[in-house]
Amino acid sequence: MKDSFLKSVILIVAVAFTASVAAQENEELKAKIEKINKEMQVAMLNGNTDAVMANYSEDAISLPSYSKMAQGIEAIKKMNEQMMSSGMKITKFETETIMVSTCENNIAEIGTYNMSFTTEGTPGEMSDTGKYLTIWEQQPDGSLKIAVEMWNTDTFPTTGM
């Protein structure tokens, strides 16, 4: 009986320790992702597509709201450049990471975004809020690259609600 009790206590301590280590690891990954997100936000505001694209894996997939899927870094870069050459100018872009979850060398990030932008031919600034899911791949050197991204707006375009 004592032996069984001792094994149970050891098992409980081991599980608690493992959960604590995983939670700490997730917080560290969340901080790392938030730092990359801030750097990408600055690059977006400055129209620096190359700096943004440096955070994508070569075979990344983008699943944008109201647009077709883009597969591969070159297709994603082309999509971003087309958006910017259309006269759209992002004036504010902020994200909030709500949670991260890990599975092997992949990290799922779920968050929300808030942005403002202007477009040619439209009076004044427009804004949008929404949510996103990013799957990050941890590289052999410890860096993170976007493998899959998906976002969509909270606002229905024809009603503004």
Side-chain angles (χ1 to χ4, degrees):
M1 178 89 162
K2 270 182 154 178
D3 191 40
S4 177
F5 176 74
L6 183 57
K7 286 179 182 177
S8 296
V9 169
I10 291 171
L11 180 62
I12 290 169
V13 169
V15 168
F17 177 75
T18 302
S20 175
V21 169
Q24 182 178 358
E25 181 180 289
N26 280 357
E27 284 304 311
E28 290 170 5
L29 287 169
K30 182 178 177 185
K32 191 174 189 176
I33 288 168
E34 287 173 334
K35 181 179 183 291
I36 296 168
N37 285 343
K38 294 277 186 232
E39 292 167 357
M40 288 197 326
Q41 290 163 16
V42 169
M44 287 175 70
L45 292 172
N46 292 324
N48 188 345
T49 303
D50 289 335
V52 173
M53 297 313 302
N55 295 292
Y56 287 77
S57 66
E58 286 297 320
D59 58 349
I61 297 172
S62 183
L63 305 165
S65 196
Y66 300 107
S67 189
K68 292 184 177 191
M69 173 173 48
Q71 292 181 283
I73 195 167
E74 289 305 316
I76 296 168
K77 182 176 181 179
K78 183 179 178 182
M79 179 182 66
N80 286 334
E81 288 172 343
Q82 286 174 339
M83 182 177 61
M84 293 307 176
S85 69
S86 72
M88 179 181 185
K89 169 89 172 108
I90 298 171
T91 56
K92 178 179 96 173
F93 189 78
E94 299 170 344
T95 61
E96 180 183 358
T97 302
I98 304 300
M99 67 169 275
V100 296
S101 179
T102 61
C103 180
E104 296 182 15
N105 70 328
N106 293 311
I107 302 103
E109 173 196 12
I110 296 174
T112 59
Y113 70 85
N114 183 355
M115 69 182 291
S116 298
F117 56 94
T118 59
T119 58
E120 290 179 12
T122 305
E125 195 172 65
M126 296 185 289
S127 63
D128 183 34
T129 59
K131 59 270 184 202
Y132 66 90
L133 167 66
T134 304
I135 306 296
W136 297 85
E137 261 180 356
Q138 191 150 22
Q139 304 300 300
D141 67 0
S143 66
L144 301 176
K145 296 283 185 182
I146 296 171
V148 179
E149 66 178 0
M150 179 175 157
W151 70 91
N152 57 60
T153 181
D154 289 341
T155 308
F156 192 73
T158 58
T159 64
M161 300 180 84

